[in-house]
C-alpha cells in the first residue's frame, strides 16, 4: 500500500488513506460482516497482525491505527540551534553557493557536518536557494572510453574568474574521457602559448595521449579547417606539434559534442571562482599556483573515476621527442649566400660549422616557451649571432617609423615657404605664334 500525500480527517484524528482503509475494514469486522482472516487477506497482513490491530482499535479507537512516532521529533533530526547557526553562516558567507558546495565548505571551514540534501532543504526553507526544474531532453548515451589516455578533451573557458579583482584570464582545461582526470592552467587568452604550456604539463606527467578532442578554434585549425595541410602557411602551431608528437586531433562539430569538458567548465565557473574568492587571490600567478597545488589535487581526488580497463593507452615520450623544440613557435626562412637569414625585421649571421645544403636551404626559426630563440637545420641546432650593424638597422626599423625622427636626431628646421615661379616676358610661353 502506497501512502498518498492527501490526508483525510475523521473527527479529531488525521488519517492517511491507508489508515482510513484499515479503519473501514475493522469496522466491518466489529459489526460481524466479515471474519478476521478475511479482513487480514483484504489488508494484506497476517492474522496475528490483524488481531493486534483489532486490539489497538478496541483500546484507543481510530487513534490506535496511527503510527506511534507520528508527530514526534526524530532522534536523527538536526538540533534547532545547529539549524539556525548553519543557515546564518550560509546566508553570510555562502549565499551564492550551491547546496553541495555549501555543505562541503560548512564542514571544511566551519566544522558543521550536514548531508547535501539537508543543506538543500535548509537553503530552500530559508529562501537562499530555489529548486530548479530540469527539462527532460532526449540524449543518446555515449560510453566513456575504456582506457586512460585513449581520448583527452581540451577547451578554453572565458569567464570573470577573479570577479573584477585582477586581470582578465582564460582557463585552458584538459580532461581524460575514461577517468575524468583534469589538468588546467590560466592564461591571458585562449592562445597557442597557453595551450602548449598545458599540453606540456600533460605530456610530462602522463605521456602522449592517443587523441585530443577539441573545438575548431583558430589555435587548432586554419580557415580551411584542416590540421594536416603540408604547406606551413596552412598549419597552426598546435596542429603541427600534434602531428610531430603522433597525436590524433579530432575536431568537435558542436559544443554539445564535447560535453564532458563543457560540463567541467561549468563546474569550475561555479566552484573555482568561489575558491579563489575565499583564498583572496587577485593575480594570475597566484591563481595558477593555487590551481595546480591545491584545487586540482583535491578535485581529482574527489571526482576521479576508475577506468573500465586497467591498461594505460598513453604512448611513451621517448628521447626522440624534444618537447622544448616541438612545443614552440616555428617559422621557416631561406639561408642567403652570405649565410644570413632575415626574420621579424632582424638579420642573423649563421656561424660554423657549415652543413651540406645549408646555403639556400630552409632553416627553422623556433621561439621556445621561455622566449629563447633557436635556429635548427636538419635536426641540428645552428650557432648564430646578430652583428652590431644589423642590430642598429633592426633598431631603426623598430624605433624610427617612416616620417618620424630617431632618438638621437636633432629637430629639423621648418621648411621655407616657396614662392610661385613666374616666367619672364621673353619666355617662349609668352611669345606669339
Amino acid at each position: 500500500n502506497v501512502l498518498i500525500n492527501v490526508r483525510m480527517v475523521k473527527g479529531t484524528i488525521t488519517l492517511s488513506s491507508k489508515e482510513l482503509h484499515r479503519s473501514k475494514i475493522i469496522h466491518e469486522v466489529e459489526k460481524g460482516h466479515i471474519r478476521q482472516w478475511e479482513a487480514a487477506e483484504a489488508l494484506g497482513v497476517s492474522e496475528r497482525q490483524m488481531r493486534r490491530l483489532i486490539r489497538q482499535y478496541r483500546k484507543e479507537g481510530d487513534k490506535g491505527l496511527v503510527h506511534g512516532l507520528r508527530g514526534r521529533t526524530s532522534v536523527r533530526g538536526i538540533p534547532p540551534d545547529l539549524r539556525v547557526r548553519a543557515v546564518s553562516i550560509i546566508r553570510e558567507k555562502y549565499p551564492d553557493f550551491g547546496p553541495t558546495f555549501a555543505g562541503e565548505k560548512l564542514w571544511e571551514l566551519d566544522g558543521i557536518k550536514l548531508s547535501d540534501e539537508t543543506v538543500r532543504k535548509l537553503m530552500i526553507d530559508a529562501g537562499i536557494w530555489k529548486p530548479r526544474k530540469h527539462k527532460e531532453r532526449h540524449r543518446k548515451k555515449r560510453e566513456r572510453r575504456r582506457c586512460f589516455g585513449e581520448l583527452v578533451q581540451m577547451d578554453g573557458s572565458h569567464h570573470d574568474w577573479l570577479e573584477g579583482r585582477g586581470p582578465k584570464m582564460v582557463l585552458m582545461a584538459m580532461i581524460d574521457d575514461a577517468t575524468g582526470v583534469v589538468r588546467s592552467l590560466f592564461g591571458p587568452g585562449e592562445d597557442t602559448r597557453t595551450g602548449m604550456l598545458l599540453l606540456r604539463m600533460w605530456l610530462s606527467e602522463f605521456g602522449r595521449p592517443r587523441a585530443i578532442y577539441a573545438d575548431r578554434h583558430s589555435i587548432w585549425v586554419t580557415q580551411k579547417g584542416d590540421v594536416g595541410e603540408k604547406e606551413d602557411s596552412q598549419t597552426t602551431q598546435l596542429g603541427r606539434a600534434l602531428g610531430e608528437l603522433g597525436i590524433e586531433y579530432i575536431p568537435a562539430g558542436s559544443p554539445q559534442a564535447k560535453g564532458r569538458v563543457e560540463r567541467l567548465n561549468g563546474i569550475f565557473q561555479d566552484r573555482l571562482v568561489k575558491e579563489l574568492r575565499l583564498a583572496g587571490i587577485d593575480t594570475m600567478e597566484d591563481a595558477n599556483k593555487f590551481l595546480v597545488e591545491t584545487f586540482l589535487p583535491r578535485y581529482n581526488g574527489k571526482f576521479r573515476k576508475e577506468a573500465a580497463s586497467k591498461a594505460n593507452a598513453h604512448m611513451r615520450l621517448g628521447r626522440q621527442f624534444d618537447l622544448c623544440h616541438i612545443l614552440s613557435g616555428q617559422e621557416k626562412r631561406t639561408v642567403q649566400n652570405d649565410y644570413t637569414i632575415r626574420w621579424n625585421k632582424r638579420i642573423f649571421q649563421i656561424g660554423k660549422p657549415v652543413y651540406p645544403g645549408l646555403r639556400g636551404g630552409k632553416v627553422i626559426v623556433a621561439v621556445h616557451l621561455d622566449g629563447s630563440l633557436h635556429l635548427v637545420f636538419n635536426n641540428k641546432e645552428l650557432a648564430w649571432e646578430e652583428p652590431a650593424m644589423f642590430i642598429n638597422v633592426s633598431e631603426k626599423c623598430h624605433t624610427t617609423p617612416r616620417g618620424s625622427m630617431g632618438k638621437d636626431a636633432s629637430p629639423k628646421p621648418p621648411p621655407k615657404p616657396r614662392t610661385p615661379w613666374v616666367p619672364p616676358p621673353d619666355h617662349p610661353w609668352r611669345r606669339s605664334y
Side-chain angles (χ1 to χ4, degrees):
N1 294 327
V2 180
L3 283 174
I4 303 176
N5 291 331
V6 178
R7 303 291 182 180
M8 304 187 68
V9 178
K10 183 179 180 182
T12 59
I13 305 299
T14 302
L15 303 178
S16 66
S17 59
K18 178 181 178 180
E19 294 162 350
L20 189 64
H21 180 60
R22 284 186 172 184
S23 175
K24 183 178 179 181
I25 295 297
I26 292 175
H27 274 293
E28 297 296 324
V29 174
E30 291 295 297
K31 292 178 181 178
H33 295 167
I34 58 176
R35 297 183 179 182
Q36 290 186 2
W37 66 269
E38 294 175 331
E41 288 185 358
L43 296 180
V45 298
S46 64
E47 293 186 29
R48 182 178 178 182
Q49 174 73 357
M50 191 68 226
R51 288 193 293 271
R52 186 189 69 81
L53 290 175
I54 293 175
R55 285 198 302 270
Q56 288 291 112
Y57 179 78
R58 290 173 179 172
K59 183 178 179 181
E60 301 181 17
D62 289 336
K63 186 179 179 181
L65 303 178
V66 179
H67 198 283
L69 295 180
R70 181 180 297 177
R72 295 176 58 182
T73 304
S74 173
V75 294
R76 300 178 60 185
I78 306 174
D81 55 343
L82 181 60
R83 180 188 300 266
V84 173
R85 182 186 169 202
V87 171
S88 63
I89 292 176
I90 293 174
R91 194 186 300 276
E92 178 184 356
K93 298 172 64 176
Y94 320 118
D96 55 343
F97 284 39
T100 303
F101 197 26
E104 293 178 8
K105 290 305 166 184
L106 277 175
W107 170 241
E108 180 181 339
L109 301 179
D110 304 292
I112 300 177
K113 182 66 174 178
L114 298 175
S115 66
D116 297 342
E117 184 62 21
T118 300
V119 176
R120 190 182 77 88
K121 290 181 179 179
L122 290 178
M123 294 177 70
I124 291 176
D125 294 340
I128 303 174
W129 177 261
K130 293 183 179 179
R132 301 173 182 175
K133 295 182 179 179
H134 295 282
K135 220 173 162 185
E136 289 191 9
R137 290 176 291 180
H138 180 270
R139 295 174 179 172
K140 186 176 180 181
K141 182 177 179 57
R142 182 184 71 83
E143 297 294 336
R144 291 175 178 263
R145 296 296 179 98
R146 292 184 55 82
C147 301
F148 176 48
E150 190 175 352
L151 178 69
V152 176
Q153 297 187 18
M154 187 172 181
D155 192 28
S157 177
H158 298 257
H159 190 68
D160 186 12
W161 296 99
L162 297 179
E163 300 175 305
R165 300 188 306 273
K168 292 184 179 180
M169 304 184 303
V170 174
L171 181 71
M172 296 285 288
M174 297 178 68
I175 179 171
D176 180 68
D177 190 73
T179 61
V181 172
V182 180
R183 292 295 181 269
S184 57
L185 195 68
F186 283 114
E190 191 175 355
D191 52 15
T192 300
R193 185 176 185 277
T194 307
M196 285 187 174
L197 286 172
L198 179 60
L199 185 59
R200 186 177 68 177
M201 182 189 302
W202 188 282
L203 294 172
S204 302
E205 186 173 357
F206 303 116
R208 296 177 294 144
R210 297 287 177 177
I212 286 184
Y213 195 61
D215 54 16
R216 299 175 182 269
H217 195 274
S218 59
I219 64 174
W220 294 104
V221 296
T222 59
Q223 292 182 354
K224 293 188 177 181
D226 194 350
V227 173
E229 291 285 346
K230 295 183 179 179
E231 299 181 9
D232 295 336
S233 60
Q234 296 179 355
T235 305
T236 64
Q237 297 292 341
L238 271 172
R240 172 198 53 76
L242 292 186
E244 294 181 9
L245 290 168
I247 301 174
E248 181 187 2
Y249 165 74
I250 304 176
S254 64
Q256 291 78 11
K258 48 187 179 65
R260 201 172 308 285
V261 70
E262 292 290 349
R263 288 191 294 272
L264 177 73
N265 291 336
I267 293 172
F268 277 20
Q269 288 176 9
D270 178 35
R271 285 176 169 257
L272 183 54
V273 168
K274 298 177 176 66
E275 291 276 14
L276 294 173
R277 182 202 307 164
L278 293 175
I281 293 174
D282 55 3
T283 63
M284 186 184 302
E285 292 77 11
D286 293 341
N288 275 324
K289 184 178 179 181
F290 175 80
L291 181 67
V292 174
E293 297 180 0
T294 304
F295 183 81
L296 286 180
R298 190 163 51 195
Y299 181 88
N300 288 320
K302 183 177 295 185
F303 298 107
R304 177 173 179 167
K305 305 290 183 183
E306 289 295 331
S309 173
K310 294 183 179 180
N312 190 344
H314 281 94
M315 300 175 286
R316 193 171 62 89
L317 194 65
R319 294 182 178 179
Q320 69 272 24
F321 297 103
D322 184 3
L323 288 184
C324 293
H325 178 68
I326 295 175
L327 299 179
S328 63
Q330 299 182 9
E331 296 182 28
K332 288 185 178 181
R333 291 295 184 267
T334 303
V335 180
Q336 305 298 321
N337 290 333
D338 56 355
Y339 292 97
T340 60
I341 61 170
R342 295 174 179 269
W343 176 81
N344 197 22
K345 298 181 180 181
R346 299 166 66 183
I347 300 177
F348 301 99
Q349 180 70 62
I350 299 176
K352 296 180 180 181
V354 176
Y355 299 99
L358 178 60
R359 188 174 60 178
K362 296 288 185 180
V363 171
I364 297 176
V365 182
V367 180
H368 290 189
L369 294 177
D370 59 359
S372 59
L373 187 68
H374 301 263
L375 304 184
V376 180
F377 176 74
N378 289 344
N379 298 326
K380 299 181 181 65
E381 188 162 349
L382 303 175
W384 60 272
E385 62 177 353
E386 194 172 3
M389 60 177 181
F390 295 156
I391 295 177
N392 293 336
V393 172
S394 173
E395 288 179 353
K396 282 186 179 181
C397 293
H398 283 284
T399 60
T400 311
R402 183 175 299 177
S404 64
M405 300 180 299
K407 291 183 178 180
D408 300 328
S410 57
K412 297 180 180 180
K416 297 180 180 180
R418 292 185 176 183
T419 56
W421 178 73
V422 179
D426 57 347
H427 195 275
W429 289 359
R430 293 183 179 274
R431 296 176 186 175
S432 62
Y433 292 100

